[in-house]
Amino acid sequence: MDLKTLIRDIPDFPKPGILFRDITTLLADSAGLRYTIDTMTEQCSHLEPDYVAGIESRGFMFGMPLAHNLGVGFVPIRKPGKLPAAVHSAEYELEYGTDRLEVHQDAFKPNSRVLIIDDLIATGGTAAATAKLVEQTACELAGFGFVVELTALEGRRKLPNAPIISLIQY
Ligand code: AMP
């Protein structure tokens, strides 16, 4: 299946010069959704994670069904101030300023293998910050999985040494 036909390109969103790869059209297509989750499951199962960590918010949409299929737990990586118990935080650079991601300190059992999932990797800053969070929990990185990779931005160079899977490259 050619998933690119199900992803909608929106020029100049959220600001001029950005070509936004809109996955809502893929999510709404029953065959495309099934194919995406099945393919991610096939490509990620050999990584043998104990948990899938999904990055708010589009990482939740793909990470949760993937965790279900792999028979492992799901852990949400959230924007600041959303998680109720004690958290680890990691900051990352935006074009202007910084942002932060958080995870519950007790989210993973010690020494577990964690697979990080997001819809898309662009510059890699978001996924790299999530990897720093996993390091703080003393767990091991099983790898990274993305539906879309924007290869020209070389985001994978920002990530620590672990397997990286992407279903579609632009
Ligand atoms: P980055 O930290 O630069 O790798 O950006 C990744 C995050 O920003 C992901 O959560 C994406 O959903 C979102 N993102 C960045 N660039 C795009 C784009 N061109 N189209 C859609 N989403 C994007």
Side-chain angles (χ1 to χ4, degrees), residues 120-134:
L120 180 146
I121 178 168
T123 66
T126 310
T130 306
K132 280 193 207 136
L133 285 179
V134 171

Side-chain angles (χ1 to χ4, degrees), residues 41 49-52 64-74:
T41 305
D50 299 303
Y51 296 92
V52 169
M64 247 293 297
L66 177 63
H68 173 82
N69 279 356
L70 294 173
V72 302
F74 176 82

Side-chain angles (χ1 to χ4, degrees), residues 19-21 58 118-126 150:
L19 180 58
F20 193 85
R21 306 291 183 176
R58 277 167 276 156
D118 205 356
D119 68 323
L120 180 146
I121 178 168
T123 66
T126 310
L150 306 184

